[in-house]
Structure formats: C-alpha cells, structure tokens
Amino acid sequence: MPEFAHRTRFVALVVAALGVTAATAPVAVGERPAGVVTAQQQPGPFDDSFYVPPRTLPEGEPGDVIRWRPALPALNAANADAWQVMYLSTNALGERSAVTATVLVPRGADPAKAPVVGYAPGTQGPAFKCTASKAIERGTLYDQPAVNDLISRGYAVAVTDYEGYSPETTPTYITGRSEGPALIDAVRAAQRFPQAKLSPDAKVAFQGYSQGGGAAMWAGEQQPDYAPELDLVGVAGGGVPADLNEVAAGLNGYVGFGFLAFAAVGLDAAYPELDLDSYLNDTGRQAIAEAKQQDCVVELLAKYPGKKISDYTDRDPLPTPQWQARIEENELGTRPIRVPVFQYHGTVDEIVNTPQAEALHRRYCDQGVPVTWKTYPVDHLAGIFAGNADAGRFLADRFEGKPAEPNC
C-alpha cells in the first residue's frame, strides 16, 4: 500500500504540473532569414511535416538552421518572441543529424546583449505528440517555471526537442552522446538565426532537470572540444541520471519502470545494432509499439508501475556485451566540465536514485570541476521546483561574472 499511495501521489503531481493548457493560435508568417545556410521558412504553424528532416541534409555546420517558423508559446506569448527552428547537429554515432528547438527572446531586453541559456527539458515520452516544442505551444511543459524565470531575467532561451522527435522517427532518449550536441547546437542555432538578433559572443549556460539535467552535463563535458567558440560560463543540472546501469536497477520492478523501457527504446534508436526487438516477447513488442504512438510522461508513470524487464522480454538485453558497451559510452563523468557547475538532487528521489548522482558529484570534484552540490528533502518531481530558484541564482551569478563557491 505505501508503494501504491506514493505512486498515486507522484502521478497526480505530474498531472497537476502538466495541467495548465492553452489553445495554440495561428501566427503570422515572417520573412525568410537572410544569411543562414540552407534556412527556409515552412508555412503553417500546425504542419507536422516541419519536424521531418530533409531526406538529404543540406551542407553546413552543426548549429546551422535548416528551416524555421514563428511559434506562439501559450505561456510566453506576451513576454517573448519565439520561433521553432530545425538545425544541423551530430548524433551518437558522430553522424550529421537534424534536431528541432524553440528559441525564445524576451521582449524589452536588448537581444544583442542577452545571455543565452540552452535549456534541456525533462522526460517528455516516446510519442511524437510529446515533443517539448509542442508542449510549449500547449502550455503543458512541466519545466515551464524554469523557462519563465530565465525569460524574466532577460535571457534568451533555446529549448531543444532532442533528436528523433518527428512523425517518422523515434527519440534517442537518455543517450547522452546525442543529447549533448542537440543542446549545444540549439544554442548555436539561436545565435545564428537572424530574427533572434542574438550575439555570437553572448555568454552561454546550460540548464536542465532529470533527462535535461543529464543533457546539460553532457553538453558541459562535450563543449570544450565540440563547440569551443561558445562563451560557456556555467552549467546547472538537477536529478541527473549519470550512471544508466544504476538508474536502471532502481527502476526495474518499481514505480518508474516506464522510464526504463523508454530508455531501452532510446538507446536502440541511437544504436540500431542493439536490435531491441530481438529480445522482446509479443507483449513487449505490442507495448513498445503502442508507447511510440501514445505514451507521454504521464502514461509512462501510470501504465507500467511495478513492471519488470522479464515481463516484456525473452531475455534481458541490458547485461549483454553489446548493450553494456553502449551504456558505458553514455556514462557521465569521464571528462571534466571546465566551468562552474550547480548539481542538485532530491534525497528521496525514487526515479533517478541519489547515490549515483552523488558519485558523479565526487568524480567531478576529483577532476577539479568547481561543483556546488545541493540536496533537498524531496522526491523526483518535487526536485524540479525545489532547485529551480537556486539554479537560477547560480546562473545569474555566472552571467554577472561573480566567482563561484564550490563545496567539494
């Protein structure tokens, strides 16, 4: 009964967090941006073909804009100008890819002087309808308080959708080597998009929670080699899934099994040789197929509590050498972040277990990363809100050039 009561409360909180809805209205067609390699506007704000990458990707560099259209974010329409962009990026195999994002620029601020935050949203779900940019337009993004705070501080925000969110593809969920470039290149795209009028020399930070916390840390680790031109000043990440094996162990048979199943789908999408289908039983094949069409974060929580890998497979793929090799490639903490980091976590996090996050904190400290580590006496969902104000203050201090106060 305690497990059931806890799960019921958790799902209710998620539903409440996602419960603010607003109708999306048509937006005016803007002009085609000049000077962006291959960029072209797509007509129609509701045309899902916008998310479908070109069959042959155009020439260009990571962060170059492929296409764009105006956006009307339900909860930021009055205080920010917004666009959806598709941009070039790099997938987990090091190959060229296309990713979408929402770029928001606060009204009343001088965009040429505005810092830029690459915001990595938390878990949305495997179905295309769950895409973060769609949630922004509906007003149902549960990370919205963080986005609101950043805009209110006068920062431009680039919210990545991550790789694979289109009517024809599968998200590469929880695959750090895909998420990091997707977040970095969202910032590059925002800076290169003429309508946004942002400076290419703007100070930059990465922020996110849960999946987004992991993506922010991945972007921080990869930035020195992948995007050395960015003036990165800080990284803020909470609820970070640093060690996928440890996180999986805490989800199998417990409340968050839906996240574990989605992670397997995401890794399989990133690395086709993993061949997830060959491990599934008929129940698993049906469940995965339905999830790709229907499931967002609420469904991941409500439909699969207490389920186990053995319920959906003939044999467990996770211990196999092929899967372990890819899982290890996506473990955080193998290289230092070179700017100050704010890492936070709930002490009773039942989705992304706290000890593996503490281990990442210790690894960063051992590597000389200036980490400020903070915990809150809350569960996973409440951690989104518990740490948001501190994360905002941390980034504000970095943009103002104040020295960090690490507590290693």
Side-chain angles (χ1 to χ4, degrees), residues 115-120 150 155 183-184 187 202-208 212-213 215-221 223-224 230-237 337-343 364 369-372 390-405:
V116 182
V117 178
Y119 194 88
L150 295 170
Y155 309 152
L183 184 57
I184 291 170
V187 170
K203 290 183 178 180
V204 170
F206 301 129
Q207 182 180 355
M217 296 301 186
W218 272 102
E221 289 192 13
Q223 178 270 330
L230 294 184
D231 185 10
L232 184 65
V233 299
V235 176
I337 296 175
R338 297 181 183 175
V339 297
V341 171
F342 177 62
Q343 184 189 354
Y364 280 155
V369 178
V371 181
T372 301
D390 287 334
R393 284 189 289 268
F394 175 86
L395 294 184
D397 287 346
R398 304 293 77 75
F399 286 136
E400 293 172 10
K402 296 179 180 179
E405 298 180 355

Side-chain angles (χ1 to χ4, degrees), residues 4 30 57 59 61 64 94 108 163 181 190-191 211-212 242 246 271 318-319 340 342 349 405-406:
F4 176 79
L57 293 179
E59 295 299 320
E61 299 298 322
D64 284 345
E163 179 192 14
Q191 291 179 303
Q211 177 192 9
E246 290 296 318
Y271 305 108
L318 298 187
F342 177 62
D349 192 322
E405 298 180 355

Side-chain angles (χ1 to χ4, degrees), residues 9 345-349 354 374-380 382-383 386-387:
R9 173 181 173 273
H345 217 94
T347 55
V348 289
D349 192 322
T354 307
K374 188 167 184 178
T375 58
Y376 305 88
V378 296
D379 61 13
H380 188 70

Side-chain angles (χ1 to χ4, degrees), residues 28-312:
V29 174
E31 298 176 358
R32 175 178 175 173
V36 180
V37 178
T38 73
Q40 55 183 306
Q41 183 173 344
Q42 297 296 301
F46 307 113
D47 185 355
D48 282 348
S49 67
F50 177 86
Y51 293 89
V52 180
R55 296 300 178 190
T56 301
L57 293 179
E59 295 299 320
E61 299 298 322
D64 284 345
V65 177
I66 299 171
R67 62 175 67 130
W68 67 280
R69 63 183 177 186
L72 186 61
L75 302 180
N76 298 112
N79 66 356
D81 296 313
W83 304 266
Q84 290 175 356
V85 296
M86 176 182 285
Y87 54 94
L88 294 173
S89 191
T90 307
N91 67 18
L93 298 174
E95 300 167 343
R96 284 155 44 88
S97 64
V99 180
T100 53
T102 302
V103 176
L104 303 106
V105 178
R107 293 176 183 166
D110 182 353
K113 297 179 181 178
V116 182
V117 178
Y119 194 88
T123 302
Q124 301 300 304
F128 169 56
K129 67 180 181 180
C130 314
T131 307
S133 56
K134 287 178 172 287
I136 289 171
E137 290 204 324
R138 290 191 300 263
T140 58
L141 186 75
Y142 60 80
D143 303 88
Q144 190 68 49
V147 174
N148 291 344
D149 289 349
L150 295 170
I151 291 173
S152 69
R153 290 179 182 270
Y155 309 152
V157 185
V159 185
T160 184
D161 286 334
Y162 303 117
E163 179 192 14
Y165 276 104
S166 89
E168 300 179 357
T169 53
T170 300
T172 55
Y173 175 64
I174 222 65
T175 306
R177 293 189 178 274
S178 169
E179 294 173 341
L183 184 57
I184 291 170
D185 292 328
V187 170
R188 284 169 153 170
Q191 291 179 303
R192 296 175 192 176
F193 181 56
Q195 267 71 4
K197 300 179 181 178
L198 301 173
S199 170
D201 300 318
K203 290 183 178 180
V204 170
F206 301 129
Q207 182 180 355
Y209 184 85
S210 192
Q211 177 192 9
M217 296 301 186
W218 272 102
E221 289 192 13
Q222 292 170 312
Q223 178 270 330
D225 295 327
Y226 186 74
E229 80 280 5
L230 294 184
D231 185 10
L232 184 65
V233 299
V235 176
V240 177
D243 185 325
L244 299 186
N245 278 315
E246 290 296 318
V247 174
L251 296 175
N252 192 30
Y254 295 97
V255 62
F257 178 81
F259 294 98
L260 173 55
F262 184 18
V265 170
L267 287 167
D268 181 65
Y271 305 108
E273 83 279 1
L274 293 181
D275 193 14
L276 176 62
D277 187 74
S278 68
Y279 297 87
L280 299 175
N281 57 28
D282 289 342
T283 300
R285 291 188 184 93
Q286 181 177 350
I288 294 298
E290 291 177 356
K292 288 180 179 180
Q293 295 297 316
Q294 303 173 11
D295 289 357
C296 294
V297 64
V298 170
E299 288 78 16
L300 293 179
L301 286 164
K303 290 171 62 175
Y304 308 100
K307 296 295 185 179
K308 298 179 180 180
I309 294 172
S310 58
D311 295 331
Y312 298 98

Side-chain angles (χ1 to χ4, degrees), residues 326-341:
R326 292 305 193 184
I327 289 171
E328 289 173 9
E329 284 181 21
N330 289 277
E331 181 176 347
L332 280 165
T334 61
R335 48 186 161 180
I337 296 175
R338 297 181 183 175
V339 297
V341 171

